[in-house]
Every structure is written in structure tokens, then in C-alpha cells.
Amino acid sequence: MKRRHFLAALLATPWAAAIVPGIRAVQAAPAAASDTIAKMQARWRTLLAPGTVVPPAGEMLALSNAEWKKRLSPLAFNVMREEGTERAFTSELNNEKRAGVFVCVGCALPLFTSEMKYDSGTGWPSFFTTIPDAFQTKADNGLFYTRTEYHCARCGGHHGHVFNDGPPPTNQRWCNNGVALKFVPLKT
Ligand SMILES: [Zn+2]
């Protein structure tokens, strides 16, 4: 037990970021006011490409594992239904900078807009806030410290973990597996 506590304390130190990639995000996002975040959340539909089909609010999607296997790639299935993690710097969405909306690859629920994305330097697509009601969170005790993992509110698919080392004013870093996202550009 002592060793576990020692490791947790070690990783909480600022210099741990220099030697352990992904522990602490590079604070690269422009600072925004709280009211700007609220406006950003409210206007997510303005970044939706015309004709994009959005699932009705509150409609859940429950499928069997066999059905999910047909619908998802093997890697997406591992991440979303078995809570796996893609390798860092493997998603092309890391470098996606166009205007648009990131939707769940499992069920098409809109999750983030391009305005909410920032470069965390971790190798996973990162966001400092989400579209309202997109996710549900739960404690994940799988590592040597507790993390908060989040799941799509519609299909329950695992997307990633949320940390408190993001840019102000939210200080949130929603660290998302790129394979669980589909990007819908506003203009093609
Ligand atoms: Zn979903």
C-alpha cells in the first residue's frame, strides 16, 4: 500500500510531466471566460454540418456485444465496450483543426465541438468542455490512483477519462480516444 501512495504522490509533482508523458497536459489553450464556455456549449448546433442527423434527446441505444462487434472496428470495440485505450499519437483527430462537431462513433450523439478542442500534447484528442449532457462519469480504480472515466450518455460507450489539469476556466481535460469519435466537418 505504501508504494502505491508513494507513486501517486510522485506523479502529482509538477516535474513528473517531464518524464511521464500524458500525466499532465501542456496548457496550450487560450484562456476563456466562464460565460464564453456557456455560450460555446449553447451554440454547438451552429457548428453542425447541414443535414447531419442527430439522435433525438433522451433516446438510448442498447445493443448486444455481438451487435456492437458488427457496428464497430475491433479497436473501437475494445475501447468503447471493453474500456481499452488506443496508443497515444495514433489518431488522426489529434491534428483535426477544422470547424465542426465530434460525434460518438457508436451512436452519432454530438459530444464536442471544434471550439472545445485544444492541444494537450498528450497524444489523444483533448477538450476543455463538452456539449451539455453528452456524457456520464464514473470512478475508475483500475490504476494506482482513481481516475474519472466517462461514457456516452446515449450508448454507454467508454470514451476516455477527465482530468483537472486542463486550461482555465474549466481546468478540465477530457482525454478522448480518437477511435471512439467521428468528426463531422461543418464544410467538406
Ligand atoms: Zn454513443
Side-chain angles (χ1 to χ4, degrees):
M1 275 313 275
K2 270 193 169 165
R3 182 171 168 77
R4 285 159 66 95
H5 287 147
F6 171 74
L7 278 171
L10 188 69
L11 290 167
T13 57
W15 48 264
I19 53 171
V20 187
I23 292 300
R24 203 165 277 254
V26 176
Q27 310 241 328
S34 297
D35 64 332
T36 307
I37 299 291
K39 285 176 189 162
M40 202 178 275
Q41 290 179 318
R43 66 172 173 245
W44 66 267
R45 284 179 186 277
T46 63
L47 287 161
L48 208 53
T52 306
V53 177
V54 173
E59 183 196 85
M60 307 298 283
L61 179 67
L63 300 176
S64 68
N65 268 349
E67 289 170 310
W68 281 122
K69 272 192 176 152
K70 279 189 223 160
R71 184 182 274 237
L72 300 172
S73 70
L75 182 57
F77 182 86
N78 175 247
V79 166
M80 300 183 78
R81 310 316 303 186
E82 300 174 328
E83 305 191 345
T85 302
E86 73 185 13
R87 282 194 301 125
F89 298 102
T90 56
S91 173
E92 55 189 36
L93 293 184
N94 274 316
N95 299 318
E96 181 57 69
K97 292 184 170 64
R98 290 174 290 171
V101 174
F102 296 84
V103 304
C104 178
V105 83
C107 75
L109 185 71
L111 306 173
F112 306 100
T113 69
S114 49
E115 292 184 319
M116 301 167 179
K117 191 171 189 283
Y118 76 108
D119 182 5
S120 68
T122 59
W124 290 281
S126 302
F127 305 84
F128 51 81
T129 189
T130 79
I131 289 173
D133 304 321
F135 295 111
Q136 294 183 328
T137 59
K138 76 171 189 185
D140 168 10
N141 300 306
L143 276 179
F144 41 78
Y145 62 100
T146 302
R147 302 182 297 177
T148 302
E149 65 173 84
Y150 59 91
H151 293 249
C152 171
R154 179 167 185 250
C155 73
H158 170 77
H159 274 261
H161 293 85
V162 57
F163 301 90
N164 61 5
D165 58 11
T170 63
N171 298 321
Q172 294 170 3
R173 171 168 59 99
W174 295 76
C175 183
N176 214 102
N177 288 278
V179 74
L181 298 173
K182 180 184 168 209
F183 181 65
V184 182
L186 181 59
K187 291 176 185 156
T188 49

